[in-house]
Amino acid sequence: MPVTSEATTTWTGSLAEGSGTVAFSSSKLGTFPIDWKARSEGSDTTTTPEELIAAAHASCFSMALAHALSENGTPPERVNASASVTFKPGVGITGSHLNVNAVVPGLSPEAFQEIAEGAKSGCPVSQALAGIDITLEATLA
């Protein structure tokens, strides 16, 4: 049975001078500010579409990796993953870099790397991002 997730954005003004907010249907955290300056120059206080994609990619990859490790008979004790999504004004989103560190008893670093690569390509968000370069750093703790 398909599941649909939803987010809503309200934007006021032009691209350069305007701003907006984004809210998630499942969250009680309220709204998050967005604007072009944060997107094109970076910000520690305002989110961007790329930060939202990074959150989706890191969480999806973590789930895919935990599943693949469990299927291998080596379930993880812990998976810490981050995704860094790059945006270049005038070009668009150019890549997503996954960085994962995990505690997986009884698994060699080589086997972990192979399983992590498979999770990277099998992750539904990675598949949705197939038009960009996706790279991976995978290490065991």
Side-chain angles (χ1 to χ4, degrees):
M1 178 174 207
V3 175
T4 301
S5 299
E6 185 175 314
T8 303
T9 297
T10 302
W11 186 268
T12 305
S14 68
L15 175 62
E17 286 83 31
S19 64
T21 58
V22 63
F24 307 99
S25 63
S26 66
S27 177
K28 304 292 185 239
L29 298 176
T31 60
F32 297 89
I34 56 173
D35 63 38
W36 175 251
K37 184 176 180 180
R39 189 173 193 192
S40 62
E41 298 175 18
S43 173
D44 291 336
T45 59
T46 302
T47 195
T48 65
E50 291 71 32
E51 185 177 39
L52 301 173
I53 291 170
H57 203 188
S59 59
C60 181
F61 171 74
S62 294
M63 289 183 220
L65 180 58
H67 178 68
L69 289 165
S70 295
E71 289 288 306
N72 185 61
T74 52
E77 287 181 8
R78 178 183 45 81
V79 172
N80 287 337
S82 64
S84 302
V85 174
T86 303
F87 173 76
K88 185 174 181 182
V91 175
I93 296 171
T94 59
S96 182
H97 179 73
L98 295 166
N99 193 333
V100 62
N101 181 274
V103 177
V104 187
L107 191 65
S108 72
E110 297 79 18
F112 179 67
Q113 183 69 39
E114 183 178 325
I115 293 168
E117 287 288 344
K120 178 188 87 168
S121 61
C123 162
V125 173
S126 289
Q127 293 171 1
L129 298 174
I132 64 169
D133 185 34
I134 299 172
T135 56
L136 172 68
E137 284 181 63
T139 58
L140 288 171

